[in-house]
Amino acid sequence: MTSEEPPADTHRTTTQERGPFCTATCLCGWRGPARRARSKARSDAAEHLRNAEPEARTGP
């Protein structure tokens, strides 16, 4: 791992557009469903981050 790569347990989401669909993805490997509404893809990402927070707190 280089100094520029985030740790594997880091959660950072982005959205990607492909044609009429938008998908939320995370550095941890999570990927949300394809959505027609960007706002719904962003909501999926926010929900993923909320669900990931307890996992980060109870880590090793």
Side-chain angles (χ1 to χ4, degrees):
M1 176 161 74
T2 67
S3 62
E4 293 179 19
E5 292 178 3
D9 61 347
T10 298
H11 292 276
R12 186 179 316 156
T13 58
T14 60
T15 56
Q16 301 172 337
E17 293 186 31
R18 292 196 177 182
F21 296 97
C22 188
T23 304
T25 57
C26 183
L27 289 177
C28 74
W30 172 85
R31 182 181 176 120
R35 305 287 192 176
R36 287 193 181 267
R38 288 183 197 101
S39 61
K40 184 60 180 155
R42 287 190 296 267
S43 296
D44 291 340
E47 183 177 346
H48 168 70
L49 292 175
R50 281 192 302 273
N51 292 337
E53 285 178 10
E55 175 185 302
R57 283 187 239 135
T58 60

